[in-house]
Amino acid sequence: MAIKNLSIIGTDIDTLTAACEFALKQMSISVKSFFIDNKQHAIVFKETTNEEDPGRFPIDVTPVILREVIWRFLEQQPDDVYENLLSGYEEDWSKAWDLFVPDWYSKDHGIEHYDICSVLACKPTIVEYGK
């Protein structure tokens, strides 16, 4: 039985690689294209594509390719994307990522242009440290 929903949060590239590998294998998905959801600051991966799709992958997407695309996306996010997630009560925090199955209805994992072919997404988040 394949996993239908997940959310994995991490802070480093090695964990992101493992998360991508887990998601692709356990969810039995084949990523064909992606788009950027600017409202949610997320990169969304789809199982379908067409020839005009600017986010179309010309080759099969492996966990390493998926990780590289996500990592580059995260590196391009301005600091204020992370800072806007802070409540002001954090003792200490780190930049992090959230790899998840997108939906159209939830506050945390909803995306602006959801369609049934949207199978995986990643967005910046924070990990809080404290007492």
Side-chain angles (χ1 to χ4, degrees), residues 13-96:
I13 195 166
D14 293 332
T15 306
L16 180 58
T17 304
C20 290
E21 189 173 299
F22 177 83
L24 291 178
K25 182 177 180 183
Q26 295 300 319
M27 295 179 62
S28 302
I29 58 175
S30 177
V31 171
K32 303 290 184 196
S33 64
F34 72 93
F35 67 92
I36 305 296
D37 182 334
N38 290 317
K39 184 176 180 183
Q40 298 294 339
H41 300 286
I43 185 166
V44 183
F45 298 94
K46 296 171 54 176
E47 281 194 306
T48 60
T49 189
N50 60 50
E51 291 300 317
E52 296 87 37
D53 193 344
R56 183 173 60 91
F57 289 104
I59 58 174
D60 289 339
V61 175
T62 65
V64 172
I65 292 171
L66 191 62
R67 177 211 59 206
E68 284 301 312
V69 171
I70 292 170
W71 199 254
R72 286 186 183 153
F73 168 76
L74 293 170
E75 286 180 328
Q76 294 174 358
Q77 299 306 302
D79 287 341
D80 67 328
V81 168
Y82 295 94
E83 290 165 0
N84 289 339
L85 298 170
L86 300 173
S87 66
Y89 295 101
E90 296 82 5
E91 187 172 317
D92 197 13
W93 62 278
S94 293
K95 291 181 179 180

Side-chain angles (χ1 to χ4, degrees), residues 8 12 16 77 118 129:
I8 303 171
D12 62 81
L16 180 58
Q77 299 306 302
S118 300
Y129 303 100

Side-chain angles (χ1 to χ4, degrees), residues 101-124:
V101 173
D103 58 47
W104 58 271
Y105 55 86
S106 76
K107 178 182 171 245
D108 293 330
H109 296 133
I111 58 173
E112 189 171 16
H113 301 292
Y114 178 82
D115 75 40
I116 196 75
C117 299
S118 300
V119 292
L120 198 60
C122 191
K123 67 179 182 178

